[in-house]
Amino acid sequence: MSEHSSALFVPLNDLRRNYDANSDAISATVNAVLASGWWLNGERTRIFCEAFANYLGVETCIGVANGTDALEIALRALVATRGTSKDEVVTVANAGGYSTIAARLVGLKPVYADIVEESQLADLDSIVSALGVRTAAVIVTHLYGGVVDVAMLRTKMNEAGFGSVSILEDCAQAHGARLNGRMAGSLADISTFSFYPTKNLGAFGDAGAIVTSDDELAKTCNALRQYGWRDKYSITRPGGRNSRLDEVQAAILAALLPKLDQNNARRIEILKRYTKALPEGVSLVRSPHGSAGHLAILLCDERDRLRRHLTDRRIATDIHYPILDCDQPGWFGLPQGQAPGGLPVSRKSVARLLTIPCFPGATDEEIDKVSEALSEWQP
């Protein structure tokens, strides 16, 4: 490894590069919003939501304050319209806690299904085995940019007698991902997105959205995200909150949306380059159904030693995610369940995960350095 390459620090992400690459468009649109004097519930939010709905191929996009609000409101809408007598939601335990948080806020008991090792996505048969008469909904998380085969899950659920149970897609890590020509976010009854700054489509602050082609769900979510109003000051639905996508963030997202596919292609290119450099005993998490390349996740039995190897070479790493939802100390003693077969793959995987740099602004020199460091590692 050259002296220059050794001195180079490779960040896990560098959000400033996103601004630098789009500074003219972002500055112009933000300044226009600020000068307008209209900063909430305005034209910029309408323009972005319509553009994002068209991009996904869905009828409605509802902007909200963040991705966690989106999950909670969408789940609350499903319960209110389709499952008022049910109190469980089937989800996975390896996706950072967000679906569990939403379930608990709505008053639902999380029931955890296991995952497939190679993709770290939900195991469809484990999901079906976790369904029961109390299941209000299933949340499928398109983790790390990979896509769960929602159509196959729907078929399996129908065949098992659970055709009335709704599916919610958590697309917080899958902006722009596709499955058989359809976009993640258009595959289920309702879907949610986070636009946290590190996402494939990221705002410059918190932002989120709910998307659906179901008119009743759309109307319910639209009411719940603003106090439960039917008309101004007339609260007709319980469980409402104040959750708005502000005009500045909507304008930024509208400016960045046209580059989403291009940026995702760069992420996939980076993943392919890493794949060629993988040493024995290390694999890269890959979805069999396509990916948006949100994160580059390694699986390694000697994860901590590999992490030190990369740190010594000035390469940033992280772990997404180090604790399963079912083991979080803050939820100890609260109601939860698991699929009949338990969570053996989830438990095996959690100690093997390692995140390495993968973002569209990464330079070829940085990716070469990570690839070289991987190829040099010996188990």
Side-chain angles (χ1 to χ4, degrees):
M1 186 177 293
S2 69
E3 181 180 349
H4 175 71
S5 179
S6 297
L8 175 69
F9 173 72
V10 185
L12 195 68
N13 203 335
D14 185 349
L15 296 175
R16 177 58 186 261
R17 298 184 199 183
N18 190 27
Y19 172 75
D20 289 343
N22 302 280
S23 58
D24 290 343
I26 289 171
S27 295
T29 194
V30 169
N31 287 336
V33 172
L34 296 178
S36 74
W38 195 294
W39 303 324
L40 288 169
N41 295 336
E43 188 70 2
R44 300 288 182 161
T45 299
R46 183 191 66 78
I47 289 172
F48 169 69
C49 287
E50 288 185 359
F52 195 54
N54 289 336
Y55 174 78
L56 297 176
V58 298
E59 292 295 323
T60 305
C61 170
I62 301 165
V64 294
N66 56 69
T68 306
D69 280 3
L71 276 170
E72 179 195 344
I73 292 167
L75 196 54
R76 196 177 294 277
L78 285 174
V79 171
T81 60
R82 301 183 178 186
T84 54
S85 63
K86 301 176 181 180
D87 62 356
E88 292 183 353
V89 60
V90 176
T91 184
V92 289
N94 70 321
Y98 309 108
S99 60
T100 297
I101 289 170
R104 294 204 183 281
L105 286 170
V106 177
L108 298 176
K109 169 185 167 182
V111 178
Y112 299 111
D114 206 9
I115 59 174
V116 177
E117 183 174 25
E118 293 79 8
S119 67
Q120 295 290 294
L121 299 173
D123 182 310
L124 304 190
D125 291 328
S126 182
I127 287 177
V128 173
S129 74
L131 298 171
V133 295
R134 298 170 62 184
T135 307
V138 173
I139 299 177
V140 292
T141 300
H142 299 311
L143 194 63
Y144 308 143
V147 186
V148 176
D149 190 341
V150 177
M152 179 58 69
L153 174 61
R154 180 77 275 168
T155 297
K156 287 177 175 289
M157 290 171 59
N158 292 349
E159 291 174 348
F162 295 99
S164 63
V165 175
S166 300
I167 301 174
L168 188 164
E169 290 178 78
D170 176 3
C171 305
Q173 299 186 10
H175 312 69
R178 292 168 170 82
L179 175 63
N180 298 326
R182 293 183 61 187
M183 305 295 296
S186 70
L187 307 174
D189 298 273
I190 194 167
S191 305
T192 62
F193 287 84
S194 166
F195 302 117
Y196 185 76
T198 60
K199 304 301 184 182
N200 294 48
L201 179 60
F204 284 18
D206 275 321
I210 303 164
V211 302
T212 185
S213 293
D214 185 292
D215 186 58
E216 183 181 17
L217 287 174
K219 289 179 179 177
T220 303
C221 289
N222 199 45
L224 291 173
R225 61 112 187 173
Q226 185 152 281
Y227 310 118
W229 282 354
R230 179 185 60 195
D231 303 305
K232 192 173 183 180
Y233 305 132
S234 174
I235 298 172
T236 57
R237 296 180 184 273
R241 57 157 60 241
N242 171 11
S243 184
R244 304 185 185 103
L245 172 61
D246 74 67
E247 290 285 279
V248 170
Q249 301 302 340
I252 292 171
L253 291 168
L256 295 177
L257 178 58
K259 290 191 175 182
L260 176 57
D261 288 344
Q262 173 187 328
N263 287 338
N264 284 352
R266 172 61 173 169
R267 291 174 181 270
I268 297 301
E269 177 190 349
I270 292 170
L271 292 178
K272 289 179 178 178
R273 289 169 66 175
Y274 287 161
T275 299
K276 294 177 181 179
L278 292 177
E280 183 181 351
V282 180
S283 61
L284 188 69
V285 172
R286 297 297 296 269
S287 166
H289 307 301
S291 173
H294 175 60
L295 291 173
I297 305 293
L298 303 177
L299 287 171
C300 178
D301 288 338
E302 298 183 76
R303 186 266 309 281
D304 294 340
R305 192 164 72 84
L306 175 58
R307 190 176 194 185
R308 287 193 297 271
H309 170 83
L310 296 174
T311 300
D312 289 345
R313 285 152 180 79
R314 293 177 52 77
I315 297 169
T317 61
D318 204 344
I319 300 173
H320 294 86
Y321 297 95
I323 305 173
L324 297 177
D325 290 14
C326 52
D327 297 334
Q328 288 288 358
W331 296 327
F332 180 77
L334 296 181
Q336 65 174 357
Q338 294 183 12
L343 308 175
V345 181
S346 301
R347 294 201 174 281
K348 175 184 176 184
S349 298
V350 73
R352 303 178 68 230
L353 299 165
L354 184 64
T355 308
I356 58 176
C358 181
F359 60 101
T363 66
D364 285 341
E365 183 181 15
E366 289 170 333
I367 300 310
D368 286 343
K369 177 171 179 174
V370 178
S371 298
E372 185 176 356
L374 287 173
S375 65
E376 291 174 343
W377 190 76
Q378 296 181 353

